[in-house]
Amino acid sequence: MTVYDVLVIGGGPGGLAAAIAAKKEGARVLLIEREARLGGVLKQCIHDGFGLLKFGERLSGPEYAERYEEEFHELSIEYKLQTFVTSVRKTEDIFHVYAVNDKGIREYQTKTMILATGCRERTAKQVFIHGTRPAGVFTAGTAQYFVNIMGQMPARRCVILGSGDIGLIMARRLTLEGAKVLGVYEAKPAPSGLARNLVQCLEDYDIPLYLSHTVTRVFGAGRLTGVEIAGVEGNMKPVPGTERQVECDTLILSVGLIPENEMAESLGVPLDPATKGPFCDNQFMTEAEGVFSCGNSVHVHDLADYVSESGETAGKAAASYKKKKRNRIPIQTDASLQYLVPQRLDADSDLSSVILYFRSREILEEGILTVTVDGRTVFAKKYRNLKPPEMKRLKIDFERAGLTGESRIRVCIAKGGDTR
């Protein structure tokens, strides 16, 4: 049986980038994808805005994926489509990956694994919407699939719950196809999507946005006939007496994404409660030796360009992986950050250009991010208009910080712009 150097699970932008990077390092690579085509969710993202950072062009989702698919095939990387990984076990230094497809059950062996399994959408029951179970309640991604892939119109009069980017994009998309979007309702006091999508998808099409409002109930037997809207207090609970009904035939949910990590959990990989993804070091290796992760399975990214970037880092590191004792230095944060990735630094790796991804916990007109090592400030950067929905990317040279195995690294954001 062939023993691969790297086995990638997932053929989206992160998985494709990881497989390509590993192959370029001389590794024998196998990629497993459960769908019939490579590209992941990008296949249905026909809007533009992809590739500005990676290629310096405004590309649609399919165009962005095609750039990677072409390179993937040029390198003759082995792959399996419509193949589902059912379980993984490890014996000594080899992973035994069991997968099923139309040809039956097959075992694959590999020295390392890269989990590029992406993320999934929260459903109506996960946000505690009560009522019946009529047709017409969709996640934003499902509605997008119906319109852009199947050519089917799922709505005529719709309400959108949540101001995440997919929901905003679908508000515009459905309007262009002739539907009436009655409003986008957001439980939080501030929008969850990127500023550009708020302007291009709502303001440009006169679609109203209602902050501090949520859907509490759905009505209808065979098909949705309406929803109940209520105001929301600061504790995120509906305010009694503020309920009103809105007649509609469709409710679209854009209420957040969760990294898909059932496979990681089955391997005993510890997950970060803040990101819902694995704890990783700067090479995207998890706490499980030889298991790497990348893309939205680590944390939910704003841009596909960053997903590909993490895949390239993970693929290169997996290809050169050698089992050894790890000297990992934790990166500590405080309540000013929602999260920071990576959560560890591999002290024996190249630390001259470590990329940090983070989100602030609060909206700040001015803030300064500070990185300290053993109490010494080694990096500080001013930011304007920090917002929790907008992920930030930062490159730092830790080689100059004089790190030791006992070093304490701390990252925090202070209000205001004074670096003194």
Side-chain angles (χ1 to χ4, degrees), residues 157-159 182 224-227 244-250:
R157 288 174 56 85
C158 76
V159 165
L182 302 171
L224 184 74
T225 58
V227 297
R244 63 184 178 90
Q245 290 189 23
V246 176
E247 292 185 3
C248 60
D249 62 14
T250 305

Side-chain angles (χ1 to χ4, degrees), residues 87-146:
S87 63
V88 180
R89 66 182 179 89
K90 187 175 184 181
T91 57
E92 296 182 358
D93 298 331
I94 297 296
F95 292 96
H96 301 261
V97 180
Y98 298 91
V100 61
N101 55 26
D102 59 355
K103 295 180 174 58
I105 298 174
R106 178 77 184 272
E107 176 190 343
Y108 302 97
Q109 295 184 6
T110 182
K111 297 175 183 177
T112 65
M113 294 177 58
I114 300 178
L115 305 178
T117 47
C119 56
R120 66 175 184 270
E121 297 179 276
R122 284 190 173 92
T123 65
K125 297 305 177 185
Q126 288 176 294
V127 292
F128 307 108
I129 297 177
H130 302 289
T132 55
R133 299 182 65 184
V137 180
F138 305 101
T139 62
T142 300
Q144 188 182 57
Y145 182 84
F146 277 137

Side-chain angles (χ1 to χ4, degrees), residues 186-236:
E186 171 59 57
K188 297 177 182 178
S192 298
L194 296 173
R196 73 182 188 195
N197 287 329
L198 290 168
V199 173
Q200 296 173 4
C201 300
L202 297 189
E203 293 180 18
D204 289 354
Y205 292 86
D206 296 322
I207 299 171
L209 170 64
Y210 301 93
L211 300 175
S212 298
H213 283 77
T214 190
V215 174
T216 53
R217 186 176 296 273
V218 296
F219 304 100
R223 177 79 189 196
L224 184 74
T225 58
V227 297
E228 181 183 82
I229 305 291
V232 176
E233 294 179 319
N235 59 6
M236 300 299 290

Side-chain angles (χ1 to χ4, degrees), residues 297-308:
S297 59
V298 178
H299 65 114
V300 178
H301 295 66
D302 292 343
L303 303 175
D305 303 64
Y306 293 150
V307 170
S308 301

Side-chain angles (χ1 to χ4, degrees), residues 45-52 58-61 63 169 172 196-197 200:
C45 298
I46 65 171
H47 53 280
D48 67 2
F50 299 90
L52 287 170
R58 296 181 67 90
L59 304 174
S60 68
E63 289 174 321
I169 289 166
R172 176 181 63 185
R196 73 182 188 195
N197 287 329
Q200 296 173 4

Side-chain angles (χ1 to χ4, degrees), residues 50-356:
F50 299 90
L52 287 170
L53 301 176
K54 179 65 180 176
F55 301 110
E57 300 179 53
R58 296 181 67 90
L59 304 174
S60 68
E63 289 174 321
Y64 183 89
E66 186 179 30
R67 297 283 179 97
Y68 279 96
E69 288 181 64
E70 288 177 350
E71 187 173 12
F72 181 89
H73 293 306
E74 286 174 2
L75 293 170
S76 301
I77 299 172
E78 295 181 59
Y79 64 102
K80 303 290 181 183
L81 298 178
Q82 292 185 294
T83 300
F84 296 77
V85 175
T86 57
S87 63
V88 180
R89 66 182 179 89
K90 187 175 184 181
T91 57
E92 296 182 358
D93 298 331
I94 297 296
F95 292 96
H96 301 261
V97 180
Y98 298 91
V100 61
N101 55 26
D102 59 355
K103 295 180 174 58
I105 298 174
R106 178 77 184 272
E107 176 190 343
Y108 302 97
Q109 295 184 6
T110 182
K111 297 175 183 177
T112 65
M113 294 177 58
I114 300 178
L115 305 178
T117 47
C119 56
R120 66 175 184 270
E121 297 179 276
R122 284 190 173 92
T123 65
K125 297 305 177 185
Q126 288 176 294
V127 292
F128 307 108
I129 297 177
H130 302 289
T132 55
R133 299 182 65 184
V137 180
F138 305 101
T139 62
T142 300
Q144 188 182 57
Y145 182 84
F146 277 137
V147 176
N148 294 345
I149 300 295
M150 298 179 66
Q152 300 292 326
M153 190 63 178
R156 290 298 172 191
R157 288 174 56 85
C158 76
V159 165
I160 297 178
L161 176 61
S163 57
D165 290 311
I166 305 176
L168 299 178
I169 289 166
M170 283 311 298
R172 176 181 63 185
R173 187 76 178 96
L174 290 168
T175 299
L176 289 171
E177 292 297 334
K180 177 63 176 177
V181 179
L182 302 171
V184 176
Y185 294 85
E186 171 59 57
K188 297 177 182 178
S192 298
L194 296 173
R196 73 182 188 195
N197 287 329
L198 290 168
V199 173
Q200 296 173 4
C201 300
L202 297 189
E203 293 180 18
D204 289 354
Y205 292 86
D206 296 322
I207 299 171
L209 170 64
Y210 301 93
L211 300 175
S212 298
H213 283 77
T214 190
V215 174
T216 53
R217 186 176 296 273
V218 296
F219 304 100
R223 177 79 189 196
L224 184 74
T225 58
V227 297
E228 181 183 82
I229 305 291
V232 176
E233 294 179 319
N235 59 6
M236 300 299 290
K237 291 185 179 180
V239 180
T242 63
E243 300 88 352
R244 63 184 178 90
Q245 290 189 23
V246 176
E247 292 185 3
C248 60
D249 62 14
T250 305
L251 172 63
I252 292 177
L253 304 171
S254 179
V255 289
L257 302 169
I258 306 172
E260 191 83 67
N261 275 306
E262 283 75 8
M263 189 60 62
E265 290 182 288
S266 72
L267 289 165
V269 175
L271 302 184
D272 183 347
T275 62
K276 305 298 188 293
F279 287 100
C280 292
D281 63 21
N282 53 297
Q283 299 189 91
F284 288 98
M285 191 165 88
T286 69
E287 300 286 276
E289 192 71 20
V291 179
F292 296 77
S293 187
C294 67
N296 286 341
S297 59
V298 178
H299 65 114
V300 178
H301 295 66
D302 292 343
L303 303 175
D305 303 64
Y306 293 150
V307 170
S308 301
E309 181 179 59
S310 67
E312 291 168 5
T313 301
K316 185 176 180 179
S320 59
Y321 165 81
K322 292 182 180 179
K323 186 176 180 180
K324 62 180 181 180
K325 185 178 180 180
R326 305 282 164 181
N327 181 15
R328 288 195 175 100
I329 306 171
I331 302 178
Q332 300 175 344
T333 60
D334 63 8
S336 63
L337 285 87
Q338 283 191 53
Y339 68 77
L340 181 140
V341 173
Q343 299 91 342
R344 315 273 190 268
L345 293 184
D346 183 348
D348 298 323
S349 67
D350 179 8
L351 299 177
S352 61
S353 58
V354 175
I355 297 174
L356 303 180

